Amino acid sequence: MAEPGFLGSPLEKELAEEHGYPVLLAKLFAERWEKLAREDIAAYLHPDMRSLKGLASSPALPRVIESLGRARRDKESVLFYGDYDVDGIMATATLFAASQHLGLKSNYYLPSRFGAGYGLSQDIVRKAAVEGYKLLVALDCGTSNNIEIELAHELGMDVVALDHHAPGAKLPQMPLINPHTSPGVDPLCSAGLAFSFAREWLAAEGEDAKLVDENFLEAAAIATIGDHVPLIGDGFILAHIGLERLPRTVQPGLSALLAAVGLQGKAFLTTRDILFSVVPHLNAAGRMSNSNAGLVVKMMLARSGNEAMAIAQQLVRLNMERRELQRIVSDEAALQALAQESCEFLVLYKADWMPGVTGVVAARMVEMFNKPTLVFSDALQEEGYAVGSGRAPDGVDLLELVEPARELFVKLGGHSAAIGGTLPVKLVPELRSLLSHYRPKPAEDKSAAQIFELETAPAQLNGELISQLLKLQPFGEGHPAPRLRLRDAFIARSSVIGKEGTTICIEVDAPKSPLRIVGFRCSHLLPKLRPGNTATLDVEIGVDNFRKDPALQLLLLGLA
């Protein structure tokens, strides 16, 4: 395994000599970026809004702009039909705000998890036609809604869509902007597509894109991180600049939310802040049956700080309720999972589980059991049907795994990492039986290259890495935080921390000051990490914003 030292490749030399990367990071990122296109490397080195590729290469772009332009010109009513999670919510808020700025007769609709569910609904399409809408803009959905789109056409409505979900065997007959069907468009989430489209749309109408840039760039960044899309090219640029601006945002809704969740005043925010604080609060409104995701759109469109803060505080209360409910369902789901110990694919069901938490519970089961998992409960407004969500371990394409059982579902959508669907309750056992044939690929030899990227000594980790790591934020899908192997690490201190007793904190000797390393759910490793022991540690490095000044953050991944 490579060790920082001699600068070998031209890219290593460029990163170190022209961009000031410490040798350790120069070697690590040069190896990681070796096969990337130069423009994608440039996005990491010089993230700049002027470098965005945008949607120009999408064949559907002119047709979508034309459809909206015609609606504006002819004063036709437009309905923006979104989704109830952060990506669909932010996409809806972005384009609805742009439409209002341009003076369109427009409205928006976000489905309920407990009613229409994910994707276009035939009932809502019929209702929209009756109410006189002539153009339906599907956001974060539509790619797999062939039947609903045909119905809309029959009822006299045009349909266009911006969506990033994987298409099925047959594409719907409509203008569709989707990275899967648009070569040259980077793999953006739907809010990223909406942000990029809004800039193109306003420009086509002779308007300045300032409205979108000033109010919805941060929203696109949050959705990009929260929906786990690859942080490459345009996706990284939007996420990096948006995250950088977020602590000082002038957007009333996001400013209020940061204050309500205790993040206001931070010099910078991290991926962890977004994933574990911001996104759960934004999603809470759509996860609880006594609320609706439209609440978040109202917050994003609020004109005063007081109005926005009232909604942000409501989101905090909803998220507290969601966490308690999630804890109860997770405990019950874990018992079912243990009863299916021999199964490599978990299909869990209980009638009275809240549909709003099935996705996060599925993610928790993956974390606990390292198996692809589907979690179902009864649909609240469709008797005899189960609605649920699925998650899978890294490297497992969940949508591909479930594809052989697609005929059991009345509705199924998503992407490789997360899916949602509806099927008759009576077919849940058959689904479990079909998926029970799944066998994970034989475990590959977990060589050093797969566990960590570079091997080094604790002395190489110091404050000099911090400024460069900040320039490379956020880390996430397709752009993970650097993973290192620390050899001969002398343990100075170790202890269990946290309420659950599963997190450990260790200090490792280093020349200037000890390195503090935290290991979540690593308490089982404590006997090997007693003070005085020497160990080889696999760690992930990042930057911590807990204190006033940024500090190096080390997360324990395991022992060699």
Side-chain angles (χ1 to χ4, degrees), residues 55 57-61 142-144 161-172 174-187 193:
L55 309 178
S57 64
S58 171
L61 177 65
T143 300
S144 300
L162 283 76
D163 188 17
H164 76 114
H165 292 98
K170 181 183 177 184
L171 285 172
M174 65 170 176
L176 169 65
I177 297 176
N178 185 322
H180 291 282
T181 62
S182 303
V185 173
D186 283 339
L193 294 172

PDB file of all heavy atoms in Angstrom, residues 55 57-61 142-144 161-172 174-187 193:
ATOM      1  N   LEU A  55     -27.443  22.032 -17.914  1.00  0.00           N
ATOM      2  CA  LEU A  55     -28.304  21.065 -18.601  1.00  0.00           C
ATOM      3  C   LEU A  55     -28.296  21.222 -20.119  1.00  0.00           C
ATOM      4  O   LEU A  55     -29.141  20.650 -20.806  1.00  0.00           O
ATOM      5  CB  LEU A  55     -29.747  21.209 -18.092  1.00  0.00           C
ATOM      6  CG  LEU A  55     -29.938  21.190 -16.579  1.00  0.00           C
ATOM      7  CD1 LEU A  55     -31.411  21.387 -16.231  1.00  0.00           C
ATOM      8  CD2 LEU A  55     -29.411  19.900 -15.967  1.00  0.00           C
ATOM      9  N   SER A  57     -26.742  19.965 -22.462  1.00  0.00           N
ATOM     10  CA  SER A  57     -26.653  18.770 -23.308  1.00  0.00           C
ATOM     11  C   SER A  57     -27.910  17.906 -23.253  1.00  0.00           C
ATOM     12  O   SER A  57     -27.994  16.901 -23.962  1.00  0.00           O
ATOM     13  CB  SER A  57     -25.435  17.928 -22.905  1.00  0.00           C
ATOM     14  OG  SER A  57     -25.582  17.456 -21.585  1.00  0.00           O
ATOM     15  N   SER A  58     -28.877  18.281 -22.423  1.00  0.00           N
ATOM     16  CA  SER A  58     -30.111  17.488 -22.356  1.00  0.00           C
ATOM     17  C   SER A  58     -30.999  17.815 -23.551  1.00  0.00           C
ATOM     18  O   SER A  58     -31.389  18.969 -23.754  1.00  0.00           O
ATOM     19  CB  SER A  58     -30.879  17.778 -21.065  1.00  0.00           C
ATOM     20  OG  SER A  58     -32.153  17.172 -21.097  1.00  0.00           O
ATOM     21  N   PRO A  59     -31.378  16.826 -24.351  1.00  0.00           N
ATOM     22  CA  PRO A  59     -32.230  17.090 -25.504  1.00  0.00           C
ATOM     23  C   PRO A  59     -33.602  17.632 -25.107  1.00  0.00           C
ATOM     24  O   PRO A  59     -34.281  18.280 -25.914  1.00  0.00           O
ATOM     25  CB  PRO A  59     -32.375  15.721 -26.172  1.00  0.00           C
ATOM     26  CG  PRO A  59     -31.535  14.762 -25.436  1.00  0.00           C
ATOM     27  CD  PRO A  59     -31.004  15.416 -24.221  1.00  0.00           C
ATOM     28  N   ALA A  60     -34.018  17.377 -23.871  1.00  0.00           N
ATOM     29  CA  ALA A  60     -35.346  17.811 -23.432  1.00  0.00           C
ATOM     30  C   ALA A  60     -35.372  19.262 -22.962  1.00  0.00           C
ATOM     31  O   ALA A  60     -36.458  19.833 -22.821  1.00  0.00           O
ATOM     32  CB  ALA A  60     -35.848  16.904 -22.305  1.00  0.00           C
ATOM     33  N   LEU A  61     -34.209  19.865 -22.719  1.00  0.00           N
ATOM     34  CA  LEU A  61     -34.179  21.219 -22.139  1.00  0.00           C
ATOM     35  C   LEU A  61     -34.986  22.233 -22.944  1.00  0.00           C
ATOM     36  O   LEU A  61     -35.842  22.938 -22.377  1.00  0.00           O
ATOM     37  CB  LEU A  61     -32.726  21.681 -21.970  1.00  0.00           C
ATOM     38  CG  LEU A  61     -32.564  23.109 -21.433  1.00  0.00           C
ATOM     39  CD1 LEU A  61     -33.112  23.223 -20.011  1.00  0.00           C
ATOM     40  CD2 LEU A  61     -31.084  23.522 -21.471  1.00  0.00           C
ATOM     41  N   GLY A 142     -41.864  10.844 -11.905  1.00  0.00           N
ATOM     42  CA  GLY A 142     -42.305  10.911 -13.299  1.00  0.00           C
ATOM     43  C   GLY A 142     -41.638   9.922 -14.227  1.00  0.00           C
ATOM     44  O   GLY A 142     -42.254   9.438 -15.178  1.00  0.00           O
ATOM     45  N   THR A 143     -40.366   9.587 -13.957  1.00  0.00           N
ATOM     46  CA  THR A 143     -39.633   8.715 -14.873  1.00  0.00           C
ATOM     47  C   THR A 143     -40.301   7.353 -15.037  1.00  0.00           C
ATOM     48  O   THR A 143     -40.253   6.763 -16.122  1.00  0.00           O
ATOM     49  CB  THR A 143     -38.178   8.546 -14.387  1.00  0.00           C
ATOM     50  OG1 THR A 143     -37.547   9.832 -14.345  1.00  0.00           O
ATOM     51  CG2 THR A 143     -37.386   7.642 -15.309  1.00  0.00           C
ATOM     52  N   SER A 144     -40.923   6.861 -13.967  1.00  0.00           N
ATOM     53  CA  SER A 144     -41.555   5.530 -14.018  1.00  0.00           C
ATOM     54  C   SER A 144     -43.075   5.603 -14.011  1.00  0.00           C
ATOM     55  O   SER A 144     -43.741   4.581 -13.783  1.00  0.00           O
ATOM     56  CB  SER A 144     -41.082   4.692 -12.817  1.00  0.00           C
ATOM     57  OG  SER A 144     -39.684   4.541 -12.832  1.00  0.00           O
ATOM     58  N   ALA A 161     -40.903  16.661 -16.975  1.00  0.00           N
ATOM     59  CA  ALA A 161     -40.371  16.165 -15.705  1.00  0.00           C
ATOM     60  C   ALA A 161     -38.883  16.456 -15.565  1.00  0.00           C
ATOM     61  O   ALA A 161     -38.138  16.443 -16.545  1.00  0.00           O
ATOM     62  CB  ALA A 161     -40.616  14.659 -15.561  1.00  0.00           C
ATOM     63  N   LEU A 162     -38.487  16.712 -14.322  1.00  0.00           N
ATOM     64  CA  LEU A 162     -37.085  16.766 -13.920  1.00  0.00           C
ATOM     65  C   LEU A 162     -36.935  15.733 -12.813  1.00  0.00           C
ATOM     66  O   LEU A 162     -37.531  15.866 -11.741  1.00  0.00           O
ATOM     67  CB  LEU A 162     -36.689  18.153 -13.395  1.00  0.00           C
ATOM     68  CG  LEU A 162     -36.448  19.264 -14.423  1.00  0.00           C
ATOM     69  CD1 LEU A 162     -37.767  19.783 -14.975  1.00  0.00           C
ATOM     70  CD2 LEU A 162     -35.673  20.413 -13.790  1.00  0.00           C
ATOM     71  N   ASP A 163     -36.149  14.707 -13.074  1.00  0.00           N
ATOM     72  CA  ASP A 163     -36.082  13.588 -12.141  1.00  0.00           C
ATOM     73  C   ASP A 163     -34.722  12.923 -12.283  1.00  0.00           C
ATOM     74  O   ASP A 163     -34.110  12.965 -13.352  1.00  0.00           O
ATOM     75  CB  ASP A 163     -37.209  12.595 -12.472  1.00  0.00           C
ATOM     76  CG  ASP A 163     -37.356  11.474 -11.454  1.00  0.00           C
ATOM     77  OD1 ASP A 163     -36.836  11.611 -10.335  1.00  0.00           O
ATOM     78  OD2 ASP A 163     -37.993  10.459 -11.791  1.00  0.00           O
ATOM     79  N   HIS A 164     -34.249  12.300 -11.204  1.00  0.00           N
ATOM     80  CA  HIS A 164     -32.948  11.619 -11.291  1.00  0.00           C
ATOM     81  C   HIS A 164     -33.053  10.134 -11.010  1.00  0.00           C
ATOM     82  O   HIS A 164     -32.033   9.431 -10.932  1.00  0.00           O
ATOM     83  CB  HIS A 164     -31.946  12.265 -10.327  1.00  0.00           C
ATOM     84  CG  HIS A 164     -32.162  11.903  -8.883  1.00  0.00           C
ATOM     85  ND1 HIS A 164     -31.262  11.168  -8.158  1.00  0.00           N
ATOM     86  CD2 HIS A 164     -33.179  12.182  -8.030  1.00  0.00           C
ATOM     87  CE1 HIS A 164     -31.708  11.005  -6.919  1.00  0.00           C
ATOM     88  NE2 HIS A 164     -32.867  11.621  -6.819  1.00  0.00           N
ATOM     89  N   HIS A 165     -34.271   9.619 -10.872  1.00  0.00           N
ATOM     90  CA  HIS A 165     -34.428   8.197 -10.590  1.00  0.00           C
ATOM     91  C   HIS A 165     -34.209   7.348 -11.841  1.00  0.00           C
ATOM     92  O   HIS A 165     -34.447   7.802 -12.962  1.00  0.00           O
ATOM     93  CB  HIS A 165     -35.811   7.932  -9.992  1.00  0.00           C
ATOM     94  CG  HIS A 165     -35.966   8.510  -8.620  1.00  0.00           C
ATOM     95  ND1 HIS A 165     -36.583   9.725  -8.397  1.00  0.00           N
ATOM     96  CD2 HIS A 165     -35.550   8.065  -7.421  1.00  0.00           C
ATOM     97  CE1 HIS A 165     -36.557   9.990  -7.097  1.00  0.00           C
ATOM     98  NE2 HIS A 165     -35.932   9.005  -6.488  1.00  0.00           N
ATOM     99  N   ALA A 166     -33.783   6.127 -11.630  1.00  0.00           N
ATOM    100  CA  ALA A 166     -33.465   5.236 -12.747  1.00  0.00           C
ATOM    101  C   ALA A 166     -34.721   4.884 -13.529  1.00  0.00           C
ATOM    102  O   ALA A 166     -35.754   4.580 -12.937  1.00  0.00           O
ATOM    103  CB  ALA A 166     -32.798   3.974 -12.224  1.00  0.00           C
ATOM    104  N   PRO A 167     -34.654   4.918 -14.856  1.00  0.00           N
ATOM    105  CA  PRO A 167     -35.826   4.584 -15.676  1.00  0.00           C
ATOM    106  C   PRO A 167     -36.067   3.085 -15.751  1.00  0.00           C
ATOM    107  O   PRO A 167     -35.148   2.283 -15.541  1.00  0.00           O
ATOM    108  CB  PRO A 167     -35.454   5.147 -17.052  1.00  0.00           C
ATOM    109  CG  PRO A 167     -33.965   5.106 -17.083  1.00  0.00           C
ATOM    110  CD  PRO A 167     -33.505   5.342 -15.672  1.00  0.00           C
ATOM    111  N   GLY A 168     -37.311   2.721 -16.056  1.00  0.00           N
ATOM    112  CA  GLY A 168     -37.636   1.321 -16.293  1.00  0.00           C
ATOM    113  C   GLY A 168     -37.380   0.960 -17.745  1.00  0.00           C
ATOM    114  O   GLY A 168     -36.658   1.666 -18.465  1.00  0.00           O
ATOM    115  N   ALA A 169     -37.997  -0.114 -18.186  1.00  0.00           N
ATOM    116  CA  ALA A 169     -37.770  -0.593 -19.554  1.00  0.00           C
ATOM    117  C   ALA A 169     -38.323   0.369 -20.588  1.00  0.00           C
ATOM    118  O   ALA A 169     -37.798   0.471 -21.701  1.00  0.00           O
ATOM    119  CB  ALA A 169     -38.403  -1.975 -19.722  1.00  0.00           C
ATOM    120  N   LYS A 170     -39.391   1.087 -20.237  1.00  0.00           N
ATOM    121  CA  LYS A 170     -40.033   1.988 -21.189  1.00  0.00           C
ATOM    122  C   LYS A 170     -40.114   3.391 -20.612  1.00  0.00           C
ATOM    123  O   LYS A 170     -40.635   3.597 -19.515  1.00  0.00           O
ATOM    124  CB  LYS A 170     -41.445   1.480 -21.526  1.00  0.00           C
ATOM    125  CG  LYS A 170     -42.191   2.341 -22.532  1.00  0.00           C
ATOM    126  CD  LYS A 170     -43.602   1.810 -22.750  1.00  0.00           C
ATOM    127  CE  LYS A 170     -44.382   2.710 -23.713  1.00  0.00           C
ATOM    128  NZ  LYS A 170     -45.791   2.248 -23.860  1.00  0.00           N
ATOM    129  N   LEU A 171     -39.618   4.362 -21.365  1.00  0.00           N
ATOM    130  CA  LEU A 171     -39.682   5.752 -20.913  1.00  0.00           C
ATOM    131  C   LEU A 171     -41.045   6.350 -21.242  1.00  0.00           C
ATOM    132  O   LEU A 171     -41.631   6.047 -22.290  1.00  0.00           O
ATOM    133  CB  LEU A 171     -38.592   6.589 -21.585  1.00  0.00           C
ATOM    134  CG  LEU A 171     -37.163   6.405 -21.077  1.00  0.00           C
ATOM    135  CD1 LEU A 171     -36.188   7.160 -21.967  1.00  0.00           C
ATOM    136  CD2 LEU A 171     -37.040   6.874 -19.635  1.00  0.00           C
ATOM    137  N   PRO A 172     -41.558   7.210 -20.378  1.00  0.00           N
ATOM    138  CA  PRO A 172     -42.833   7.868 -20.678  1.00  0.00           C
ATOM    139  C   PRO A 172     -42.689   8.853 -21.833  1.00  0.00           C
ATOM    140  O   PRO A 172     -41.601   9.376 -22.093  1.00  0.00           O
ATOM    141  CB  PRO A 172     -43.171   8.589 -19.371  1.00  0.00           C
ATOM    142  CG  PRO A 172     -41.865   8.766 -18.673  1.00  0.00           C
ATOM    143  CD  PRO A 172     -41.026   7.591 -19.062  1.00  0.00           C
ATOM    144  N   MET A 174     -42.858  12.074 -22.879  1.00  0.00           N
ATOM    145  CA  MET A 174     -42.862  13.467 -22.420  1.00  0.00           C
ATOM    146  C   MET A 174     -41.427  13.977 -22.426  1.00  0.00           C
ATOM    147  O   MET A 174     -40.479  13.193 -22.417  1.00  0.00           O
ATOM    148  CB  MET A 174     -43.423  13.566 -21.000  1.00  0.00           C
ATOM    149  CG  MET A 174     -42.553  12.867 -19.973  1.00  0.00           C
ATOM    150  SD  MET A 174     -43.035  13.201 -18.281  1.00  0.00           S
ATOM    151  CE  MET A 174     -41.863  12.119 -17.395  1.00  0.00           C
ATOM    152  N   PRO A 175     -41.241  15.294 -22.415  1.00  0.00           N
ATOM    153  CA  PRO A 175     -39.889  15.838 -22.245  1.00  0.00           C
ATOM    154  C   PRO A 175     -39.392  15.531 -20.827  1.00  0.00           C
ATOM    155  O   PRO A 175     -40.030  15.919 -19.852  1.00  0.00           O
ATOM    156  CB  PRO A 175     -40.077  17.346 -22.458  1.00  0.00           C
ATOM    157  CG  PRO A 175     -41.362  17.482 -23.200  1.00  0.00           C
ATOM    158  CD  PRO A 175     -42.223  16.353 -22.720  1.00  0.00           C
ATOM    159  N   LEU A 176     -38.278  14.831 -20.730  1.00  0.00           N
ATOM    160  CA  LEU A 176     -37.749  14.395 -19.440  1.00  0.00           C
ATOM    161  C   LEU A 176     -36.282  14.800 -19.314  1.00  0.00           C
ATOM    162  O   LEU A 176     -35.454  14.408 -20.135  1.00  0.00           O
ATOM    163  CB  LEU A 176     -37.869  12.870 -19.319  1.00  0.00           C
ATOM    164  CG  LEU A 176     -37.139  12.188 -18.152  1.00  0.00           C
ATOM    165  CD1 LEU A 176     -37.722  12.624 -16.814  1.00  0.00           C
ATOM    166  CD2 LEU A 176     -37.191  10.664 -18.304  1.00  0.00           C
ATOM    167  N   ILE A 177     -35.983  15.594 -18.290  1.00  0.00           N
ATOM    168  CA  ILE A 177     -34.594  15.924 -17.979  1.00  0.00           C
ATOM    169  C   ILE A 177     -34.163  15.017 -16.842  1.00  0.00           C
ATOM    170  O   ILE A 177     -34.605  15.162 -15.700  1.00  0.00           O
ATOM    171  CB  ILE A 177     -34.441  17.408 -17.587  1.00  0.00           C
ATOM    172  CG1 ILE A 177     -34.823  18.318 -18.759  1.00  0.00           C
ATOM    173  CG2 ILE A 177     -33.003  17.695 -17.150  1.00  0.00           C
ATOM    174  CD1 ILE A 177     -34.784  19.806 -18.436  1.00  0.00           C
ATOM    175  N   ASN A 178     -33.326  14.049 -17.167  1.00  0.00           N
ATOM    176  CA  ASN A 178     -32.884  13.052 -16.204  1.00  0.00           C
ATOM    177  C   ASN A 178     -31.451  12.669 -16.568  1.00  0.00           C
ATOM    178  O   ASN A 178     -31.176  12.332 -17.719  1.00  0.00           O
ATOM    179  CB  ASN A 178     -33.813  11.824 -16.279  1.00  0.00           C
ATOM    180  CG  ASN A 178     -33.499  10.778 -15.222  1.00  0.00           C
ATOM    181  OD1 ASN A 178     -32.351  10.511 -14.892  1.00  0.00           O
ATOM    182  ND2 ASN A 178     -34.545  10.160 -14.687  1.00  0.00           N
ATOM    183  N   PRO A 179     -30.514  12.726 -15.624  1.00  0.00           N
ATOM    184  CA  PRO A 179     -29.121  12.374 -15.942  1.00  0.00           C
ATOM    185  C   PRO A 179     -28.974  10.989 -16.573  1.00  0.00           C
ATOM    186  O   PRO A 179     -28.055  10.762 -17.366  1.00  0.00           O
ATOM    187  CB  PRO A 179     -28.425  12.438 -14.580  1.00  0.00           C
ATOM    188  CG  PRO A 179     -29.238  13.402 -13.785  1.00  0.00           C
ATOM    189  CD  PRO A 179     -30.655  13.182 -14.227  1.00  0.00           C
ATOM    190  N   HIS A 180     -29.889  10.065 -16.251  1.00  0.00           N
ATOM    191  CA  HIS A 180     -29.815   8.715 -16.821  1.00  0.00           C
ATOM    192  C   HIS A 180     -30.119   8.703 -18.316  1.00  0.00           C
ATOM    193  O   HIS A 180     -29.705   7.789 -19.031  1.00  0.00           O
ATOM    194  CB  HIS A 180     -30.806   7.784 -16.111  1.00  0.00           C
ATOM    195  CG  HIS A 180     -30.441   7.482 -14.699  1.00  0.00           C
ATOM    196  ND1 HIS A 180     -29.464   6.579 -14.345  1.00  0.00           N
ATOM    197  CD2 HIS A 180     -30.929   7.965 -13.522  1.00  0.00           C
ATOM    198  CE1 HIS A 180     -29.362   6.510 -13.026  1.00  0.00           C
ATOM    199  NE2 HIS A 180     -30.245   7.338 -12.502  1.00  0.00           N
ATOM    200  N   THR A 181     -30.865   9.693 -18.775  1.00  0.00           N
ATOM    201  CA  THR A 181     -31.270   9.723 -20.185  1.00  0.00           C
ATOM    202  C   THR A 181     -30.673  10.910 -20.931  1.00  0.00           C
ATOM    203  O   THR A 181     -31.025  11.145 -22.082  1.00  0.00           O
ATOM    204  CB  THR A 181     -32.806   9.784 -20.290  1.00  0.00           C
ATOM    205  OG1 THR A 181     -33.284  10.997 -19.688  1.00  0.00           O
ATOM    206  CG2 THR A 181     -33.446   8.591 -19.594  1.00  0.00           C
ATOM    207  N   SER A 182     -29.796  11.643 -20.264  1.00  0.00           N
ATOM    208  CA  SER A 182     -29.214  12.858 -20.865  1.00  0.00           C
ATOM    209  C   SER A 182     -27.699  12.790 -20.792  1.00  0.00           C
ATOM    210  O   SER A 182     -27.095  13.293 -19.827  1.00  0.00           O
ATOM    211  CB  SER A 182     -29.719  14.108 -20.133  1.00  0.00           C
ATOM    212  OG  SER A 182     -31.115  14.187 -20.146  1.00  0.00           O
ATOM    213  N   PRO A 183     -27.041  12.165 -21.750  1.00  0.00           N
ATOM    214  CA  PRO A 183     -25.575  12.109 -21.736  1.00  0.00           C
ATOM    215  C   PRO A 183     -24.985  13.512 -21.654  1.00  0.00           C
ATOM    216  O   PRO A 183     -25.438  14.434 -22.333  1.00  0.00           O
ATOM    217  CB  PRO A 183     -25.237  11.448 -23.080  1.00  0.00           C
ATOM    218  CG  PRO A 183     -26.474  10.680 -23.451  1.00  0.00           C
ATOM    219  CD  PRO A 183     -27.622  11.490 -22.920  1.00  0.00           C
ATOM    220  N   GLY A 184     -23.997  13.669 -20.808  1.00  0.00           N
ATOM    221  CA  GLY A 184     -23.378  14.979 -20.646  1.00  0.00           C
ATOM    222  C   GLY A 184     -23.892  15.750 -19.451  1.00  0.00           C
ATOM    223  O   GLY A 184     -23.265  16.734 -19.029  1.00  0.00           O
ATOM    224  N   VAL A 185     -25.050  15.343 -18.911  1.00  0.00           N
ATOM    225  CA  VAL A 185     -25.558  15.979 -17.693  1.00  0.00           C
ATOM    226  C   VAL A 185     -24.994  15.213 -16.499  1.00  0.00           C
ATOM    227  O   VAL A 185     -25.111  13.998 -16.428  1.00  0.00           O
ATOM    228  CB  VAL A 185     -27.106  15.967 -17.654  1.00  0.00           C
ATOM    229  CG1 VAL A 185     -27.623  16.468 -16.304  1.00  0.00           C
ATOM    230  CG2 VAL A 185     -27.661  16.832 -18.780  1.00  0.00           C
ATOM    231  N   ASP A 186     -24.385  15.924 -15.579  1.00  0.00           N
ATOM    232  CA  ASP A 186     -23.797  15.276 -14.410  1.00  0.00           C
ATOM    233  C   ASP A 186     -24.890  14.656 -13.534  1.00  0.00           C
ATOM    234  O   ASP A 186     -26.051  15.077 -13.586  1.00  0.00           O
ATOM    235  CB  ASP A 186     -22.981  16.294 -13.600  1.00  0.00           C
ATOM    236  CG  ASP A 186     -21.640  16.587 -14.259  1.00  0.00           C
ATOM    237  OD1 ASP A 186     -21.172  15.766 -15.067  1.00  0.00           O
ATOM    238  OD2 ASP A 186     -21.041  17.651 -13.973  1.00  0.00           O
ATOM    239  N   PRO A 187     -24.535  13.671 -12.698  1.00  0.00           N
ATOM    240  CA  PRO A 187     -25.543  12.948 -11.904  1.00  0.00           C
ATOM    241  C   PRO A 187     -26.085  13.781 -10.735  1.00  0.00           C
ATOM    242  O   PRO A 187     -25.786  13.524  -9.562  1.00  0.00           O
ATOM    243  CB  PRO A 187     -24.772  11.725 -11.409  1.00  0.00           C
ATOM    244  CG  PRO A 187     -23.346  12.147 -11.392  1.00  0.00           C
ATOM    245  CD  PRO A 187     -23.184  13.093 -12.542  1.00  0.00           C
ATOM    246  N   LEU A 193     -31.063  19.510 -10.349  1.00  0.00           N
ATOM    247  CA  LEU A 193     -31.606  19.704 -11.696  1.00  0.00           C
ATOM    248  C   LEU A 193     -32.520  20.926 -11.732  1.00  0.00           C
ATOM    249  O   LEU A 193     -32.466  21.728 -12.678  1.00  0.00           O
ATOM    250  CB  LEU A 193     -32.387  18.463 -12.126  1.00  0.00           C
ATOM    251  CG  LEU A 193     -31.605  17.164 -12.336  1.00  0.00           C
ATOM    252  CD1 LEU A 193     -32.558  15.999 -12.562  1.00  0.00           C
ATOM    253  CD2 LEU A 193     -30.635  17.292 -13.515  1.00  0.00           C
TER     254      LEU A 193
END
